[in-house]
Amino acid sequence: MKIIDKMNASIKEGKPFFSFEFFPPRTEEGVENLFDRQDRMASYGPTFCDITWGAGGSTADLTLDIAAKMQNMVCVETMMHLTCTNMPEEKLRDALDKLKGYGIQNVLALRGDPPKGQESFTVVEGGFACALDLVKYIRAHYGDTFGICVAGYPEAHPDVIVDDPERMKENYWKDVHYLKEKIDAGADLVITQLFYDVERYFQFVKDCRSVGITAPIIPGVMPIMTYGGFKRMTGFCKTSVPPRIAADLEAIKDNEEAVKAYGIELGTKTCRALLDAGVPGLHLYTLNLEASALAILENLGLVNKAQRPRPLPWRKAPSHKRLAEEVRPIHWSNRPKAYLTRTADWDSFPAGRWGNARSPAYGTLSDYQFMRRHSGSEKRREKARAAWGASLNSVADVVNVFVKYTSGEINVLPWSEMDSLQHETGKIQERLVALNRSDLLTINSQPAVNGAPSSDPHVGWGAGNGYVYQKAYVEFFCSPASFRALEARLACVPSITYMAVNAAGQSATNVPAGAVNAVTWGVFPAREVIQPTVVDPQSFLVWKDEAFALWTEEWGSLYAPGSRSRAVIEDIAGSWYLVSVVDNDYVRGDLFSVLEAPAAAAAPSANGNGASANGSHAIAEPERLAA
Amino acid sequence: MKIIDKMNASIKEGKPFFSFEFFPPRTEEGVENLFDRQDRMASYGPTFCDITWGAGGSTADLTLDIAAKMQNMVCVETMMHLTCTNMPEEKLRDALDKLKGYGIQNVLALRGDPPKGQESFTVVEGGFACALDLVKYIRAHYGDTFGICVAGYPEAHPDVIVDDPERMKENYWKDVHYLKEKIDAGADLVITQLFYDVERYFQFVKDCRSVGITAPIIPGVMPIMTYGGFKRMTGFCKTSVPPRIAADLEAIKDNEEAVKAYGIELGTKTCRALLDAGVPGLHLYTLNLEASALAILENLGLVNKAQRPRPLPWRKAPSHKRLAEEVRPIHWSNRPKAYLTRTADWDSFPAGRWGNARSPAYGTLSDYQFMRRHSGSEKRREKARAAWGASLNSVADVVNVFVKYTSGEINVLPWSEMDSLQHETGKIQERLVALNRSDLLTINSQPAVNGAPSSDPHVGWGAGNGYVYQKAYVEFFCSPASFRALEARLACVPSITYMAVNAAGQSATNVPAGAVNAVTWGVFPAREVIQPTVVDPQSFLVWKDEAFALWTEEWGSLYAPGSRSRAVIEDIAGSWYLVSVVDNDYVRGDLFSVLEAPAAAAAPSANGNGASANGSHAIAEPERLAA
């Protein structure tokens, strides 16, 4: 969706919007960290996020790649910066074609800074002289495909900032008129350069309006985070700093914490002044850090860490192709990026019910990105080993890792793309710890919810004045012996449906073939019932290959071939069952008590006596899952 | 679906099935009454119902027409009898083609009795000699299209019943072998002629098995209802009557009630013996009467009047075309046949959600059948006038009719195809009476239900161990003045959504354009949420034409043109609003209190002072429903 359309919707609603700007990190690890941060920041509901284009196009491919992932994996509406600097036409065309292919609909058109080492901007052969050319080019060759944003300079472009007041005034107005030209050429939105003098911004908007610019002019706000950074940035951008701010900072420049706190306080004050004056929204230059930006937005009441917007239980991709998507299998709920990747080639996505539009042709995962999240680089392997053990002696050591993960002592596990248990797990954390202690190694779960308000901070989602529901769900690995004992218990509880399968595909289930089970749904005013999460037997069989592969790819691969540690992992992966259990009675059921029953008996294995739980009995007369 | 498949499913489930046989009544009124009776009897969940083919094909067209309506309007799996008597090939072909077109998949192939006045059976030119020929013909020309049932004669066919025991034995075995030939030719099921000697039936089954007949042989049971009828039938069919039964009846033959009670007692005993011996189901010859057949089934525990099977809140049509249908607008819930007719030409039907597969191209209704249910014949007009008043003086008289209807004093209203308020209305009957007293003339409603067990005798439906929900709904006519007052009150309750429209199409609503509201849904084990009833703004606009037309077509037309009575009706139809109100808060909402609020003020009109409620104010700034 075009940002201008989203903004206009916010303006109509009378709700100030906000957005975050990021830049491409220099290292691979930095990029990974950026995605994690964007993941978290996206959960607060920014109208969009943008990613800058390295000076001189130096990071073009990286920027394109990051933009694609922001749009399609982080699932936030994304705007990519595009500069003319050192860009011949075919390179621009290539970048725009790619954006279109990625489903990105927003571009910030810039002239750009000269590449590092070059003093001033030069026009390359076949290239463009200025942002105006770029805007014209995009409109001429891509029509209405992209929303185009352009930069506004409340103090004029740094290149034309001079000391002579007369010439300065002339340059400033040239800049304002130039902005008008960019808008007339087809840009639909202005974001300003950072400023610390709020009055300057107001004057700039007034001046822009005076020459006929009617497009929204969104203030760009950069929270002061460090003294050094502030000095560098204001120097580079030739930003005027009100004497009061300069003096305040000078007094605390050696106290990092004080500078940061001052930055938050100043940012809050600035933004409040802007909002009070009626700006429709705020653009935050984050410098790839989240704390200050979020603190300011929280002070302003624009975000609430305890109550983030959740239109659906999972984050919807903003791409046109997936707009109709409303249902996903629960199995990937801790690995949404893997799911997005495996379904990227689908032509249509299930809306309404999973069973109506099932396209179970899941694609495969490229190893590196998703199967080696925690083991893809030596640095990450170290981190993983620290969490999961430098070596493993027995199943009990593995059990212990799961207990630590569910207890919150460690925050990574192969079956989660996120670095922590999900928010709502808190409600059932103790029960999960108990299950893991009794050798049921949980990788996915949700508590039963019987009609909580849709505004509930823990389990709520969707529009206001609705009610949300969940069936209790637990997915875990367990040994064949454990499963046999468990199956007998599950059979006594008519409200429970389960599916179990091992790596070889042997399975047992009491679910009718093809029966799709909605385990999360919501009822809202003047709507049909929304049921965004299902347990789907067919998808479960696809997921189980991924789930078993993660044992060896992510975890086993940390240890030397032939080592005891690796054997422990491989033995589990080769013989244990992956079990998916739903308690269909979300009103009176008590799934955890059913699963926990034998905790006392099985507990010793967690203390070192796990051998018996690691047998490989066949399941007697299994029903076929794939029937 | 073929009956043999439905039976096999019942056998697999270990649940005895039952079915009802009817014959074509002689009068038009009789036919209408038959449909009403079938409607009620179908609600108990018979596996199928069948309709006989008049002797000598005398009622061929009528039988075809009744069969079509049974299958597609009464919505019960239907089997039509087809006899060879007096039937040239083209007539048979025509009948079978029509059946196919109606979506009927089951035929009972018979030779048939000679037409009235003819003593014995004659083969017509180009016709068939016997049921065997008919079975062969159907299989040869229609392949697997139809399930074919044939008749079995536990005492041999009446035509071959003779006194000489030797010849009788020979004839009997000829008959058994002949039945084997019918099965070999492609029949998949046997239903027996009526009998009163249960041992005879068991011997017959044994004899059939001995010659290699493996098809199910369903006992045909005819409850004794009157002494005369019993004598006629057993004489005509040459049915042997055990001396004990003959003696019992002889003793009570002049006491109608006693005969009926005896018939139920005997029928129950007979059926219990059959079921105890392991018959998979019972076929009941009803003679178009319901009491005895239902009493027997109730005694056997096969039906429970208080808890009829409700797979969905509305009865699903058994035709292949509508099998996927899962959602309907609430507006036609008291006029399901009108809905079935108006949607008969749809290529696909909404499953899952209404909004996903909407095909709002509703067909028109043929006047006679649906718009003149209560006014189509002088007899019915009399009945309607008796219920609604021989003349009307004012709106108050009309209000009084609605009060009487909701109170249960009268049982017909133009907006219902059924002759009584629906079952679950009981829960809100008093509230409805109060609304009608205050000039809100209700034609459709349901109470809020917050997670009742799916087995609830009043509001339950669907599979076991589920929970069902409803949003409170009321649909009514009211004067423009009433609506204006009401709208102000509705606006104060954020959980309420409403739509109002008058005959001219002026409308007011607070529902977002195109917002479909699921007002009935159910959550079941291992299923996605089922939401069978919705409020759909587009369908409401179609329904309103029907709803307003019913005022004049059904009610106004009872009175002479130019009469005061007709003017009262026409004035309401021309100026009042049809209002549809949903309380979306099914947990805490109290729709009736909101609607009832001004009852005290408006009450006088129900006592004769209705003029003020009958003004025709325009609604201020109406939002357009069709936007």
Side-chain angles (χ1 to χ4, degrees):
Chain A
M1 203 168 165
K2 288 181 188 158
I3 288 165
I4 183 71
D5 295 329
K6 296 186 84 167
M7 289 191 169
N8 284 337
S10 295
I11 291 167
K12 204 175 156 189
E13 261 188 285
K15 262 177 65 180
F17 53 82
F18 56 91
S19 50
F20 299 126
E21 181 162 315
F22 302 96
F23 63 84
R26 295 216 185 98
T27 64
E28 203 184 293
E29 174 144 17
V31 173
E32 283 301 323
N33 289 343
L34 177 63
F35 288 135
D36 286 353
R37 180 160 299 124
Q38 288 177 334
D39 239 346
R40 290 189 296 270
M41 295 178 80
S43 72
Y44 296 101
T47 294
F48 69 94
C49 291
D50 58 336
I51 181 82
T52 65
W53 186 252
S58 54
T59 58
D61 289 343
L62 180 59
T63 297
L64 276 165
D65 189 49
I66 291 175
K69 293 218 175 91
M70 286 168 66
Q71 179 84 14
N72 296 305
M73 293 287 144
V74 178
C75 296
V76 68
E77 196 71 67
T78 298
M79 176 163 78
M80 194 184 81
H81 293 212
L82 193 55
T83 66
C84 316
T85 324
N86 277 352
M87 288 286 278
E89 188 195 329
E90 71 262 36
K91 221 173 149 186
L92 268 179
R93 182 124 212 168
D94 178 61
L96 289 163
D97 287 345
K98 279 185 175 149
L99 281 190
K100 199 174 157 183
Y102 299 149
I104 294 173
Q105 285 188 278
N106 295 287
V107 172
L108 180 67
L110 294 163
R111 188 195 68 184
D113 308 312
K116 236 178 182 168
Q118 237 174 279
E119 276 287 312
S120 66
F121 176 78
T122 51
V123 179
V124 299
E125 186 82 22
F128 297 78
C130 60
L132 175 61
D133 289 352
L134 189 49
V135 173
K136 284 179 179 164
Y137 180 84
I138 297 173
R139 282 283 173 255
H141 291 83
Y142 293 85
D144 207 28
T145 305
F146 297 103
I148 304 177
C149 180
V150 291
Y153 299 89
E155 308 180 49
H157 192 282
D159 281 7
V160 300
I161 292 176
V162 292
D163 288 335
D164 175 4
E166 271 310 303
R167 266 194 60 216
M168 185 60 237
K169 191 175 169 187
E170 199 181 304
N171 287 351
Y172 170 80
W173 279 102
K174 250 194 218 161
D175 239 32
V176 169
H177 283 284
Y178 176 64
L179 181 58
K180 172 74 162 62
E181 281 186 81
K182 291 194 281 187
I183 296 292
D184 290 348
D188 31 39
L189 187 71
V190 180
I191 293 181
T192 77
Q193 182 62 286
L194 62 100
F195 56 87
Y196 292 97
D197 180 350
V198 183
E199 290 310 319
R200 191 57 252 151
Y201 166 80
F202 291 134
Q203 186 57 49
F204 175 66
V205 172
K206 216 190 248 170
D207 294 341
C208 288
R209 301 295 179 229
S210 78
V211 302
I213 295 172
T214 56
I217 301 169
I218 310 303
V221 174
M222 186 180 287
I224 300 169
M225 289 181 267
T226 64
Y227 181 74
F230 170 75
K231 292 300 271 187
R232 254 195 319 281
M233 196 55 76
T234 50
F236 182 73
C237 299
K238 302 189 183 159
T239 317
S240 72
V241 178
R244 183 61 205 252
I245 295 175
D248 285 348
L249 274 172
E250 209 53 38
I252 55 170
K253 66 178 175 185
D254 297 324
N255 182 341
E256 274 181 40
E257 285 310 302
V259 172
K260 197 167 279 179
Y262 180 78
I264 292 169
E265 195 196 315
L266 177 68
T268 304
K269 223 169 65 184
T270 307
C271 289
R272 192 163 284 141
L274 291 165
L275 291 172
D276 287 350
V279 304
L282 305 164
H283 184 66
L284 289 157
Y285 296 109
T286 68
L287 297 177
N288 291 4
L289 296 170
E290 63 196 293
S292 297
L294 289 179
I296 291 168
L297 291 176
E298 216 171 4
N299 289 344
L300 296 168
L302 295 185
V303 310
N304 178 348
K305 283 189 184 171
Q307 190 142 23
R308 309 184 196 188
R310 284 222 299 172
L312 284 174
W314 37 265
R315 194 181 304 150
K316 194 159 179 158
S319 306
H320 182 74
K321 213 180 136 180
R322 298 188 86 113
L323 270 191
E325 183 179 24
E326 286 179 323
V327 195
R328 289 185 186 176
I330 196 170
H331 313 297
W332 281 271
S333 58
N334 294 326
R335 286 174 59 77
K337 293 186 181 65
Y339 182 75
L340 287 161
T341 304
R342 301 195 69 165
T343 59
D345 290 337
W346 287 7
D347 291 327
S348 68
F349 290 88
R353 282 197 203 160
W354 179 264
N356 288 354
R358 192 163 7 177
S359 329
Y362 287 95
T364 51
L365 285 179
S366 65
D367 269 10
Y368 168 71
Q369 259 183 288
F370 297 105
M371 297 308 287
R372 292 292 182 94
R373 176 179 166 86
H374 304 294
S375 61
S377 69
E378 195 41 51
K379 202 156 182 180
R380 287 196 236 154
R381 293 160 71 85
E382 267 168 42
K383 195 179 160 198
R385 267 192 222 98
W388 306 336
S391 69
L392 302 170
N393 262 315
S394 68
V395 169
D397 289 343
V398 174
V399 169
N400 206 30
V401 170
F402 278 84
V403 170
K404 274 162 45 180
Y405 181 75
T406 41
S407 308
E409 274 182 66
I410 59 172
N411 65 3
V412 285
L413 209 60
W415 296 271
S416 177
E417 287 167 356
M418 288 153 279
D419 283 356
S420 62
L421 276 179
Q422 275 194 297
H423 201 204
E424 65 172 83
T425 309
K427 288 184 79 171
I428 50 173
Q429 191 171 7
E430 279 179 39
R431 316 291 304 252
L432 288 173
V433 172
L435 288 195
N436 283 282
R437 275 196 211 288
S438 64
D439 293 354
L440 305 185
L441 306 184
T442 63
I443 58 172
N444 197 352
S445 61
Q446 66 177 24
V449 173
N450 178 22
S454 58
S455 59
D456 183 280
H458 300 294
V459 297
W461 53 272
N465 298 315
Y467 293 101
V468 298
Y469 296 81
Q470 293 179 174
K471 292 180 180 174
Y473 181 75
V474 184
E475 192 177 308
F476 53 86
F477 294 100
C478 73
S479 71
S482 281
F483 177 65
R484 282 209 299 180
L486 183 65
E487 199 180 18
R489 288 204 307 286
L490 296 180
C492 304
V493 187
S495 67
I496 286 182
T497 45
Y498 65 90
M499 306 183 289
V501 64
N502 65 12
Q506 291 175 289
S507 62
T509 182
N510 69 347
V511 176
V516 177
N517 196 342
V519 292
T520 302
W521 66 102
V523 184
F524 302 92
R527 291 287 304 266
E528 291 188 76
V529 178
I530 303 174
Q531 27 194 335
T533 318
V534 297
V535 171
D536 167 39
Q538 285 188 274
S539 300
F540 178 63
L541 287 181
V542 174
W543 161 246
K544 73 103 179 163
D545 288 334
E546 189 174 324
F548 279 108
L550 287 163
W551 275 111
T552 48
E553 301 273 323
E554 282 277 48
W555 198 337
S557 72
L558 297 179
Y559 311 112
S563 66
R564 169 79 184 146
S565 301
R566 191 178 276 207
V568 168
I569 296 295
E570 282 172 357
D571 194 28
I572 291 176
S575 66
W576 283 34
Y577 279 83
L578 175 64
V579 188
S580 151
V581 186
V582 179
D583 189 343
N584 291 282
D585 193 344
Y586 54 97
V587 178
R588 272 174 285 268
D590 186 1
L591 175 58
F592 285 93
S593 295
V594 178
L595 296 176
E596 278 165 23
S605 77
N607 301 321
N609 182 19
S612 75
N614 195 18
S616 57
H617 304 270
I619 295 180
E621 299 180 50
E623 283 192 51
R624 295 287 311 165
L625 254 182
Chain B
M1 204 168 163
K2 288 180 189 158
I3 288 165
I4 183 71
D5 296 329
K6 297 187 83 169
M7 287 192 170
N8 284 335
S10 294
I11 291 168
K12 205 176 156 189
E13 262 189 281
K15 261 176 64 181
F17 54 81
F18 56 91
S19 50
F20 299 126
E21 182 164 313
F22 302 95
F23 64 84
R26 295 216 186 97
T27 65
E28 203 184 293
E29 174 145 16
V31 172
E32 282 301 322
N33 289 343
L34 177 63
F35 288 134
D36 286 354
R37 180 159 300 125
Q38 288 176 335
D39 238 347
R40 292 190 295 270
M41 294 180 82
S43 71
Y44 296 101
T47 294
F48 69 95
C49 291
D50 57 339
I51 180 83
T52 64
W53 186 252
S58 54
T59 58
D61 288 344
L62 179 59
T63 297
L64 277 164
D65 188 51
I66 291 176
K69 293 216 174 91
M70 285 169 66
Q71 177 84 15
N72 297 304
M73 293 289 143
V74 178
C75 296
V76 68
E77 196 73 66
T78 298
M79 177 162 77
M80 193 183 80
H81 293 213
L82 194 55
T83 65
C84 315
T85 323
N86 276 353
M87 287 287 277
E89 188 195 330
E90 72 261 36
K91 221 173 149 186
L92 268 178
R93 182 126 214 167
D94 178 61
L96 288 163
D97 287 346
K98 278 185 176 149
L99 282 189
K100 200 174 157 182
Y102 298 150
I104 294 173
Q105 285 187 277
N106 295 287
V107 172
L108 179 69
L110 294 164
R111 188 195 70 182
D113 308 310
K116 237 178 178 164
Q118 237 172 279
E119 276 286 311
S120 66
F121 177 77
T122 49
V123 180
V124 299
E125 185 83 22
F128 298 78
C130 58
L132 176 60
D133 289 352
L134 188 50
V135 174
K136 284 178 178 165
Y137 181 84
I138 297 172
R139 282 287 173 252
H141 291 84
Y142 293 86
D144 208 28
T145 304
F146 296 103
I148 303 177
C149 181
V150 290
Y153 298 89
E155 308 179 49
H157 192 282
D159 280 7
V160 299
I161 292 176
V162 291
D163 289 334
D164 175 6
E166 271 311 302
R167 269 193 60 215
M168 185 61 237
K169 191 175 170 189
E170 196 182 306
N171 287 351
Y172 171 79
W173 280 102
K174 249 193 216 160
D175 239 33
V176 169
H177 284 283
Y178 177 64
L179 180 58
K180 172 75 161 62
E181 281 186 81
K182 290 194 282 188
I183 298 291
D184 290 347
D188 32 39
L189 187 71
V190 180
I191 293 180
T192 76
Q193 181 63 286
L194 62 102
F195 56 87
Y196 291 99
D197 179 350
V198 184
E199 291 311 316
R200 191 56 251 154
Y201 167 80
F202 291 135
Q203 186 58 48
F204 175 65
V205 172
K206 216 190 248 172
D207 294 340
C208 288
R209 299 301 179 226
S210 78
V211 301
I213 296 171
T214 55
I217 300 169
I218 310 304
V221 175
M222 185 182 289
I224 299 169
M225 290 181 265
T226 64
Y227 181 75
F230 169 74
K231 291 301 268 186
R232 252 195 321 280
M233 197 54 77
T234 49
F236 182 72
C237 299
K238 301 189 183 159
T239 316
S240 71
V241 179
R244 181 63 205 248
I245 296 175
D248 285 349
L249 276 172
E250 208 52 38
I252 54 169
K253 67 179 176 183
D254 297 325
N255 182 341
E256 273 180 41
E257 285 310 302
V259 171
K260 198 165 278 176
Y262 179 78
I264 291 170
E265 194 196 315
L266 177 68
T268 304
K269 221 168 69 183
T270 306
C271 290
R272 192 163 285 139
L274 291 164
L275 292 171
D276 287 349
V279 305
L282 304 164
H283 184 66
L284 289 158
Y285 295 109
T286 67
L287 297 178
N288 290 6
L289 296 171
E290 62 195 295
S292 296
L294 289 178
I296 291 169
L297 292 175
E298 216 171 3
N299 288 343
L300 297 168
L302 295 185
V303 311
N304 179 346
K305 283 189 184 172
Q307 189 142 26
R308 309 183 196 188
R310 281 223 302 172
L312 285 173
W314 36 266
R315 193 181 306 151
K316 194 158 178 160
S319 307
H320 183 75
K321 213 179 136 182
R322 298 187 86 114
L323 271 191
E325 182 178 25
E326 288 180 322
V327 195
R328 289 186 186 172
I330 196 169
H331 313 296
W332 280 270
S333 58
N334 294 326
R335 287 174 57 80
K337 294 185 181 62
Y339 183 74
L340 288 161
T341 304
R342 300 194 71 164
T343 59
D345 290 337
W346 287 8
D347 290 328
S348 67
F349 290 87
R353 280 197 204 160
W354 178 265
N356 288 353
R358 193 162 6 177
S359 330
Y362 288 94
T364 50
L365 285 180
S366 66
D367 268 10
Y368 168 70
Q369 258 182 291
F370 297 105
M371 297 308 286
R372 291 292 180 95
R373 177 179 167 84
H374 304 293
S375 60
S377 69
E378 193 42 49
K379 203 156 181 182
R380 288 196 235 152
R381 292 161 72 87
E382 267 168 44
K383 195 180 159 196
R385 267 192 222 102
W388 307 334
S391 68
L392 303 169
N393 262 316
S394 68
V395 169
D397 289 341
V398 173
V399 169
N400 205 32
V401 169
F402 278 83
V403 171
K404 272 161 50 178
Y405 181 74
T406 43
S407 310
E409 273 181 68
I410 58 171
N411 65 3
V412 286
L413 210 61
W415 297 271
S416 177
E417 288 167 356
M418 286 152 281
D419 283 357
S420 60
L421 274 180
Q422 275 193 299
H423 202 203
E424 65 171 84
T425 309
K427 287 183 79 170
I428 49 173
Q429 191 171 9
E430 278 179 40
R431 319 290 304 253
L432 288 173
V433 173
L435 288 194
N436 282 284
R437 276 195 211 287
S438 64
D439 292 354
L440 306 185
L441 306 184
T442 63
I443 57 169
N444 197 352
S445 61
Q446 65 177 25
V449 174
N450 178 22
S454 59
S455 58
D456 183 280
H458 300 294
V459 296
W461 54 272
N465 298 314
Y467 293 102
V468 298
Y469 296 81
Q470 293 179 176
K471 292 179 179 173
Y473 181 75
V474 184
E475 192 176 309
F476 53 85
F477 294 99
C478 73
S479 71
S482 280
F483 177 65
R484 282 210 299 182
L486 183 65
E487 198 179 19
R489 290 204 307 283
L490 296 180
C492 304
V493 187
S495 66
I496 286 181
T497 45
Y498 65 89
M499 308 183 287
V501 64
N502 64 13
Q506 290 176 291
S507 61
T509 182
N510 68 346
V511 176
V516 177
N517 195 344
V519 291
T520 302
W521 65 101
V523 183
F524 301 92
R527 292 287 305 264
E528 293 189 75
V529 178
I530 303 173
Q531 28 194 335
T533 316
V534 298
V535 172
D536 168 40
Q538 284 188 277
S539 300
F540 178 64
L541 288 182
V542 175
W543 161 246
K544 72 102 180 164
D545 288 333
E546 190 175 323
F548 279 108
L550 286 165
W551 276 111
T552 48
E553 302 272 323
E554 284 275 49
W555 197 339
S557 71
L558 297 180
Y559 312 112
S563 66
R564 170 77 185 147
S565 301
R566 191 178 274 206
V568 168
I569 295 297
E570 282 173 357
D571 194 30
I572 291 177
S575 65
W576 283 35
Y577 279 82
L578 176 64
V579 187
S580 151
V581 186
V582 179
D583 188 342
N584 291 282
D585 193 343
Y586 54 96
V587 178
R588 273 174 283 268
D590 186 3
L591 175 57
F592 285 93
S593 295
V594 178
L595 295 176
E596 278 164 23
S605 77
N607 303 319
N609 182 19
S612 72
N614 194 19
S616 57
H617 304 270
I619 295 180
E621 298 181 52
E623 283 191 51
R624 293 288 309 165
L625 255 183

